[in-house]
Amino acid sequence: MKRILLTAITAMTLANAAQAVPGGKLMVLQKGGWTCEIPGDANTLATEKPELAFQTIADSSYVGPDSSTGTYLRLADRVTLTSGVFSGRRFVMDGEEIMREVTQDDVPSGIRCVHAGPIRIATPG
C-alpha cells in the first residue's frame, strides 16, 4: 500500500514539475518563410538580408538559405536557434509575425525577421 501511495505522489510531483518550464511557456513558431531585414524608417526602405532568411517547418525545425536544417527553441517570447547554420541566433518576438534579433547580452542587433505567410486582413462585420 505504501509503495502504491509513494508511486502516485511521485507521479503527481513529476507531472507538476513538467508544467513549470523555466524561461516561459514552450511554444512553436508559425510555419513558413521568415524574411530578415534591416528595418527602414520614414525616409528609407528596409534592406532585405536574404542570407539571414529561413523557413520554419514541423518539429521546431527550420531550413536555412543553404537548404540545411536546424532546430529552434521557443520559450514564451524568446527564440533561440539551437542547431544548424544559424545555431546561436537569438530573437525576441514582437507579436506572432515579427522577431527582433538580439545579441547574447539581449542588445538589439538591428535585424528583424518577418513571417512571410498569408496576410490576415480583418474584415468588418
Side-chain angles (χ1 to χ4, degrees):
M1 181 69 171
K2 286 183 182 181
R3 179 177 250 172
I4 293 171
L5 183 58
L6 182 59
T7 302
I9 292 172
T10 302
M12 290 186 332
T13 302
L14 291 174
N16 287 337
Q19 293 175 358
V21 178
K25 183 179 177 185
L26 184 61
M27 302 173 75
V28 295
L29 295 171
Q30 294 186 48
K31 292 178 192 166
W34 290 82
T35 302
C36 297
E37 62 191 14
I38 298 172
D41 58 26
N43 296 316
T44 58
L45 294 173
T47 304
E48 190 173 345
K49 296 291 188 179
E51 68 275 13
L52 299 177
F54 56 93
Q55 181 175 349
T56 47
I57 57 176
D59 302 325
S60 295
S61 298
Y62 71 92
V63 178
D66 63 353
S67 298
S68 66
T69 59
T71 57
Y72 69 85
L73 173 66
R74 179 175 178 191
L75 295 174
D77 68 340
R78 301 292 176 141
V79 177
T80 302
L81 303 182
T82 55
S83 72
V85 67
F86 292 137
S87 180
R89 284 180 76 186
R90 299 175 64 230
F91 300 89
V92 175
M93 298 297 297
D94 187 357
E96 292 298 310
E97 303 283 333
I98 298 174
M99 296 188 287
R100 299 192 184 276
E101 189 168 15
V102 294
T103 66
Q104 294 297 332
D105 300 325
D106 283 338
V107 176
S109 73
I111 299 288
R112 74 175 174 200
C113 297
V114 180
H115 185 245
I119 298 172
R120 296 188 187 105
I121 299 175
T123 55

